[in-house]
């Protein structure tokens, strides 16, 4: 375990907290490795039914630790960017492909890879003091951490190009208008609101949530006919799930279902 990423699981909810508040949760090698490994651990844990990703202090995550990166460039040149394949790609895939819902509690600025990680989550709740910034072009780099895939799907290709070519601070109210945020709440309420939403999801039909994520990702790059086939496949799978039977039984008896996650 690492001192820079906190992890705890209670009642099916895994809380993952970036904890380098003195560095605005910048991603040094220790933090990137710990975040990757922690998310993969949460994905593999059947006891985890939802994940909440957030940051400590006044930032969500400002992306790559450029102080450490400067030293890596001096030692290794461009191969220092191998961190994209080693760390950022697995983190983005773990978030987007997590077989359970992932909520981002964006407590402050989310920039570069930090923005990418938030966008790879399923649901984003922003503090009213938070902001997004792609920032890649500002350091003469292209997008990573899945931003080339997630951003145009959220805001459209034209706006995505604008935000990438001309990096700027997109404050919470604009982020909500653009579709980068699902909710904006007062900063003092962010922690409680994000946890409440994540806990609600942790009590839901986990297998159905996983299938919804799979279906949405599939539909983004396949035809209607192909997507209809995928929907049929997934419905057949869920028809045998315990939670589907629980939900139907509860509906018939006018009760609230108590899902098991299976």
């Amino acid at each position: 375990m690492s001192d820079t990423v906190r992890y705890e699981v209670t009642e099916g909810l895994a809380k993952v907290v970036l904890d380098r508040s003195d560095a605005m949760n910048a991603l040094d090698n220790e933090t990137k490795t710990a975040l990757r490994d922690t998310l993969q651990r949460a994905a593999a844990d059947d006891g985890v039914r939802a994940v909440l990703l957030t940051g400590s202090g006044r930032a969500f995550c400002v992306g790559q630790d450029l102080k450490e990166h400067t030293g890596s460039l001096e030692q290794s040149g461009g191969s220092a960017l191998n961190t994209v394949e080693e760390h950022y790609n697995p983190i983005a895939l773990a978030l987007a492909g997590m077989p359970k819902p992932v909520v981002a509690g964006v407590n402050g600025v989310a920039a570069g890879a930090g923005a990418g990680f938030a966008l790879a989550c399923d649901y984003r709740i922003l503090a009213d003091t938070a902001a997004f910034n792609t920032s890649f072009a500002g350091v003469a780099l292209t997008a990573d951490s899945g931003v080339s895939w997630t951003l145009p799907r959220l805001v459209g290709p034209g706006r995505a190009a604008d935000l990438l070519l001309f990096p700027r601070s997109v404050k919470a109210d604009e982020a909500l208008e653009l579709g980068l945020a699902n909710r904006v709440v007062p900063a003092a309420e962010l922690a409680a609101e994000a946890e409440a939403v994540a806990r609600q999801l942790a009590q839901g039909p986990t297998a159905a949530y996983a299938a919804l994520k799979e279906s949405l990702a599939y539909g983004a790059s396949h035809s209607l006919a192909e997507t209809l086939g995928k929907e049929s496949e997934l419905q057949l799978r869920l028809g045998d799930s315990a939670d589907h039977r629980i939900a139907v039984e509860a509906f018939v008896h006018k009760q609230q279902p108590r899902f098991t996650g299976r």
Side-chain angles (χ1 to χ4, degrees):
M1 297 300 291
S2 167
D3 292 334
T4 64
V5 177
R6 289 189 277 120
Y7 181 69
E8 63 179 49
V9 180
T10 56
E11 299 179 341
L13 174 63
K15 291 178 64 176
V16 181
V17 183
L18 296 166
D19 198 12
R20 289 192 75 209
S21 56
D22 57 333
M24 298 185 73
N25 299 319
L27 298 162
D28 63 357
N29 280 326
E30 178 185 354
T31 305
K32 289 180 287 191
T33 300
L35 181 58
R36 178 196 64 196
D37 294 350
T38 297
L39 291 171
Q40 291 175 345
R41 174 183 174 186
D45 186 348
D46 290 338
V48 171
R49 294 173 58 187
V51 175
L52 171 60
L53 176 64
T54 191
S56 64
R58 60 193 179 94
F60 177 77
C61 174
V62 295
Q64 175 67 43
D65 186 325
L66 293 181
K67 292 182 180 179
E68 183 181 80
H69 186 60
T70 297
S72 298
L73 283 174
E74 291 175 353
Q75 292 179 0
S76 307
S79 62
L81 272 299
N82 285 340
T83 190
V84 173
E85 183 173 358
E86 182 179 354
H87 300 108
Y88 293 162
N89 292 356
I91 290 170
L93 285 171
L95 290 167
M98 184 85 62
K100 51 206 83 175
V102 185
V103 175
V106 184
N107 54 302
V109 62
F117 297 159
L119 297 182
C121 295
D122 303 302
Y123 200 87
R124 285 162 295 283
I125 305 176
L126 270 61
D128 57 4
T129 53
F132 285 111
N133 194 320
T134 62
S135 79
F136 300 107
V139 290
L141 288 173
T142 186
D144 60 36
S145 58
V147 170
S148 303
W149 194 89
T150 54
L151 188 60
R153 283 166 172 77
L154 290 168
V155 304
R159 283 194 174 122
D162 176 54
L163 293 172
L164 286 165
L165 291 170
F166 303 100
R168 59 184 176 82
S169 178
V170 179
K171 296 183 179 179
D173 55 349
E174 184 184 3
L176 182 63
E177 181 182 343
L178 290 175
L180 296 174
N182 298 97
R183 299 188 196 182
V184 173
V185 299
E189 299 174 14
L190 185 279
E193 181 75 7
E195 182 164 341
V197 170
R199 288 204 177 279
Q200 180 180 347
L201 291 167
Q203 295 169 7
T206 312
Y209 292 150
L212 283 166
K213 292 182 66 167
E214 183 178 347
S215 184
L216 285 168
Y218 187 92
S221 57
H222 290 80
S223 69
L224 173 59
E226 291 169 323
T227 303
L228 288 169
K230 171 60 72 172
E231 289 179 346
S232 296
E233 171 196 328
L234 294 171
Q235 289 291 45
L236 285 171
R237 183 197 308 170
L238 289 168
D240 282 331
S241 70
D243 279 347
H244 174 60
R245 295 171 190 236
I246 288 169
V248 171
E249 186 75 12
F251 179 83
V252 169
H253 292 91
K254 299 182 179 180
Q255 298 171 343
Q256 286 297 316
R258 297 186 66 178
F259 295 116
T260 64
R262 292 174 173 79

